[in-house]
Amino acid sequence: PPKAKEVRIKILATGICRTDDHVIKGTMVAKYPVIVGHEATGIVESIGEGVTTVKPGDKVIPLFLPQCRECNACRNPDGNLCIESDVTGRGVLAEGTTRFTCKGKPVYHFMGTSTFTEYTVVNEFALAKIDAAAPPEKVCLIGCGFSTGYGAAIKTGKVTPGSTCAVFGLGGVGLSVIMGCKSAGASRIIGIDLNKNKFEKAMAVGATECISPKDFTKPISEVLSEMTGDNVGYSFEVIGRLDTMVDALASCHLNYGTSVVVGAPPSANMLTYNPMLLFTGRTWKGCVFGGWKTRDDVPKLVTDFMA
């Protein structure tokens, strides 16, 4: 059961995100044994002492990126990486212990959410109450993948109307970046992926054209420069590969371009790049959960989806 300031949730639907796979492959730090999953919709089953923001029966989205509303990141209007986030893989709740056991031994939490289970316990500050009518199997994706991609374009990249965007990686998050670019009014949105089977879906959600680097002998940054008359304003790396991060940076305009790193990078690797890529004026940005403040913004995103 939940302890003070904690909430137990019955999970109704959960998405599967590549980050869960990173834990299984060992490229992301976690304590084992662990229950992964961080993208879900559920119903509040019971609450611990002192919980005031939700009650049993409320429909909620657990938040792998909490919002305590008290730390520096939460108090800064541009911040969202709350100090309560379990990015180091502690595997326990704020109180310091786990709510899962198997045969008397502890089983650890993942990102404070652990949604691949029928019930989970989360801290009250890691929960967004949402519209009761929202379809669980759709809005669970607002708990990570959709919001991360959509926000990368709208909030972090701040894509402007009429601009040209290049999106590297056309998985679920990449498609959400395309939706964000379209929503922001971009006039050209170029999808880039080795797998051409992904092109149809990318075009359906807003890409204006798609290309595969396999079809060219020259670097993809040169291909994009020729295609656009050297005018890619925004590029997004939505794969998590070091080489494509540098490619995406090199692909946006050398003076006023912005490149956003959206894909989670492998934990043990260091990146080498030519600093001249930045010296000429480009902006290189990171992006956690699309820049959204989770408890404030997730309910609004669900409302927008419902509308």
Side-chain angles (χ1 to χ4, degrees), residues 75 94 118 159 298:
R75 290 163 75 104
E118 292 173 67
V159 168
V298 164

Side-chain angles (χ1 to χ4, degrees), residues 39 77 83 90 92 105 113 128 141 155 159 161 187 192 215 235-236 245 262 271-273 284 296:
E39 197 179 63
I83 196 169
R90 294 191 312 273
V92 292
K105 294 186 174 160
T113 50
L141 300 177
K155 277 187 81 72
V159 168
S187 58
I192 302 141
D215 291 343
S235 64
F236 299 87
M245 287 175 191
V262 190
L271 183 59
T272 306
Y273 71 101
W284 208 3
D296 295 345

Side-chain angles (χ1 to χ4, degrees), residues 164 188 221-233 250-256 282:
T164 296
R188 270 186 97 175
S221 57
E222 290 180 23
V223 173
L224 287 164
S225 180
E226 286 172 15
M227 279 175 69
T228 64
D230 190 26
N231 196 28
V232 174
S251 295
C252 69
H253 191 275
L254 60 84
N255 179 221
Y256 54 77
R282 287 183 180 94

Side-chain angles (χ1 to χ4, degrees), residues 189-251:
I189 304 167
I190 304 164
I192 302 141
D193 203 295
L194 297 172
N195 181 355
K196 292 184 179 180
N197 293 332
K198 297 182 178 182
F199 291 179
E200 187 183 349
K201 191 73 168 174
M203 299 289 282
V205 299
T208 54
E209 58 229 283
C210 293
I211 56 173
S212 167
K214 283 183 181 168
D215 291 343
F216 305 94
T217 50
K218 61 179 73 167
I220 197 70
S221 57
E222 290 180 23
V223 173
L224 287 164
S225 180
E226 286 172 15
M227 279 175 69
T228 64
D230 190 26
N231 196 28
V232 174
Y234 305 89
S235 64
F236 299 87
E237 200 281 354
V238 206
I239 304 161
R241 288 180 56 97
L242 305 183
D243 54 346
T244 42
M245 287 175 191
V246 180
D247 286 343
L249 178 64
S251 295

Side-chain angles (χ1 to χ4, degrees), residues 5-7 47-55 58 124 295:
K5 299 279 188 182
E6 294 174 358
V7 177
I47 59 175
E49 189 187 336
V51 170
T52 58
T53 56
V54 293
K55 63 186 185 303
D58 284 348
E124 184 182 16
R295 286 164 81 189

Side-chain angles (χ1 to χ4, degrees), residues 127-141:
L127 204 55
K129 180 184 170 181
I130 61 164
D131 185 334
E137 75 288 353
K138 296 268 201 322
V139 298
C140 62
L141 300 177

